[in-house]
Amino acid sequence: MNAALIGELKQESVNTRKMLERVPTDKIDWQTHEKSMKIERLATHIAELPVWFERIVNANEFNFAVLKREPKESTEAIVKLFDERLANAIKALESASDENLNDSWTFRRGEQIIFQLPKKVAIRSMGFNHIYHHRGQLSVYLRLLDIPVPGMYGPSADEKLF
């Protein structure tokens, strides 16, 4: 199972990195709406998300109440964080056996259990789907800032070949 997960993570990380590289440092505090995250917060969150692969593979639970955030001040710092988290995620997946990926994993906030899933399902939800969701949000932020949006599965409207 881990080979398929690693393959998808490597392929999709190219697209995620392209998106993060477009975040403008000079607009790091920009947000689409007062209730929305600033672009720095959203991009940093995306860059941090590969840590979930490690958290899920290397433990049987995670307590969300202990999470701490470190803001980043530049696009370069955000991309560097992503590259570091990605390398660690790949290492964690390389060490994961099918047995490990079938084990149960618990996501909690203090004593409250939010959900319990097989690790392979938690990886899909908290890892892959979570990245894809926020990457889509970031594409809207870039569009609203009139920054060319990179293509994910072929050229974007900004990259038309004809």
Side-chain angles (χ1 to χ4, degrees):
M1 275 189 279
N2 69 345
L5 296 171
I6 292 166
E8 182 176 349
L9 183 58
K10 286 181 176 179
Q11 176 189 341
E12 290 297 333
S13 68
V14 173
N15 289 332
T16 303
R17 193 174 202 283
K18 284 193 299 187
M19 197 71 74
L20 292 173
E21 289 172 336
R22 302 280 173 108
V23 173
T25 296
D26 65 331
K27 303 258 194 257
I28 210 87
D29 289 326
W30 185 84
Q31 61 193 118
T32 59
H33 186 274
E34 65 185 35
K35 293 181 181 179
S36 298
M37 287 186 264
K38 291 181 178 181
I39 197 168
E40 175 277 326
R41 177 66 189 111
L42 177 59
T44 300
H45 183 56
I46 294 166
E48 292 169 337
L49 287 175
V51 78
W52 286 104
F53 294 87
E54 281 182 89
R55 288 177 179 156
I56 295 166
V57 168
N58 295 332
N60 290 325
E61 70 173 35
F62 182 78
N63 184 357
F64 189 67
V66 303
L67 248 156
K68 293 186 179 166
R69 177 177 184 280
E70 294 180 30
K72 300 298 174 198
E73 296 181 9
S74 70
T75 304
E76 182 180 277
I78 292 167
V79 172
K80 182 180 180 214
L81 174 64
F82 176 71
D83 289 343
E84 291 167 357
R85 296 287 198 218
L86 176 62
N88 292 336
I90 291 168
K91 284 180 192 171
L93 287 173
E94 287 172 343
S95 74
S97 67
D98 285 359
E99 182 181 357
N100 174 276
L101 293 171
N102 282 316
D103 286 346
S104 183
W105 186 77
T106 301
F107 185 57
R108 66 174 61 245
R109 177 177 285 228
E111 294 303 313
Q112 177 192 9
I113 293 176
I114 298 170
F115 60 78
Q116 290 179 303
L117 296 168
K119 288 184 177 186
K120 63 187 175 190
V121 178
I123 284 170
R124 169 67 47 207
S125 177
M126 296 300 292
F128 291 116
N129 295 349
H130 201 167
I131 291 170
Y132 304 152
H133 164 72
H134 288 302
R135 193 172 72 187
Q137 284 182 304
L138 184 57
S139 73
V140 173
Y141 278 51
L142 296 176
R143 174 68 67 223
L144 292 172
L145 286 168
D146 203 27
I147 295 169
V149 176
M152 297 290 102
Y153 306 105
S156 72
D158 296 310
E159 301 172 328
K160 283 189 178 178
L161 302 176
F162 50 90

